Amino acid sequence: MRAAIEAGADSVYCGFADDTNARNFPGLNFSPAEMAEGVAYAHKRGVKVLIAVNTFPRAGQPEAWHRAIDTIAQIGGDAAIVADIGLLDYAAEKHPGLRLHLSVQAAAANPEAIGFFVERFGVRRVVLPRVLTVQEIAVLNKEIPCETEVFVFGGLCVMAEGRCSLSSYATGCSPNMNGVCSPPSHVTYAQEKGNFVSRLGEFMINTVPGGQPMPYPTLCKGRFTANGETSHIFEDPASLDASLLIPPLAEAGVTALKIEGRQRSRSYTDAVVRALRGALDQHARGLPINARALMALSEGASTTRGAYQKTWR
């Protein structure tokens, strides 16, 4: 959080160290006391803190999710990022002064869906799914009564914004219920016949010759054999980089640019935020944006503009 703030972020999003957070990995995230300290640190520097309670409560066990919302209101968080309809209802009823942002996990991508959340729960901003072109976002912004936030850099997901049956099938852990995709508790590495092999649960995800770098075994970015050909069947290991689309995204009426940057190091966070802060400042001054500023930080040293400029293979 400090690295992002010092590098020039206007807002930082984060979550609690429990199942309420869709990045619930060991050793990461905030206790309520740490979150309160982080909010105070950010506010002293004019930066907002948006706290994600973006998983779906278990049936009959909503207490942890309710406590998370209560804590955000108590410590002065600037917004709660929420996906679940029942939790939005709780937040709107119990804490009417708490600003609500609709999580990308709600997958609201049309005026009717977004309008429902605004009218029913008072949602002030929607994080748009990574399935829309810039032109579609521009049309959408003309028809909805709230702000929009879009992803500009980081990882991509082939599922409906994290609703991943692949990870659940392989490990029994759901990104949407437990907050973990391809969790490290189910990862193993081994040397086999001179190769380095990674597995997630019972499934081999990748194999590389000894001495070569081994990527983390995220299931959808593994290499698999089908019809006699081995390739990245689900998704190539590439990062979204829409930095060159900042001018048309601004013209389309987008309010905020989101970096998919949790589970990352301080140095990564610092470098990515500084690069995008620089890109925004260049755009504001009418200067061209550096097209290669983020290449070294992308997954597999490869980037894509994703659905913003759709192509098919």
Side-chain angles (χ1 to χ4, degrees), residues 187-206:
V187 171
T188 57
Y189 298 98
Q191 295 276 0
E192 297 181 11
K193 299 179 181 179
N195 292 327
F196 197 33
V197 175
S198 64
R199 285 185 171 82
L200 184 70
E202 301 175 1
F203 300 94
M204 182 185 291
I205 305 300
N206 215 331

Side-chain angles (χ1 to χ4, degrees), residues 152-188:
V152 69
F153 187 81
L156 287 168
C157 181
V158 296
M159 295 299 172
E161 294 306 336
R163 299 188 184 191
C164 184
S165 299
L166 287 173
S167 181
S168 300
Y169 178 76
T171 69
C173 293
S174 163
N176 302 95
M177 299 291 287
N178 311 106
V180 285
C181 167
S182 304
S185 56
H186 290 70
V187 171
T188 57

Side-chain angles (χ1 to χ4, degrees), residues 95-120:
H95 302 286
L98 177 61
R99 182 181 171 101
L100 296 176
H101 291 186
L102 188 65
S103 170
V104 69
Q105 300 242 66
N110 60 66
E112 292 76 18
I114 294 169
F116 166 78
F117 286 105
V118 172
E119 181 179 344
R120 180 64 181 79

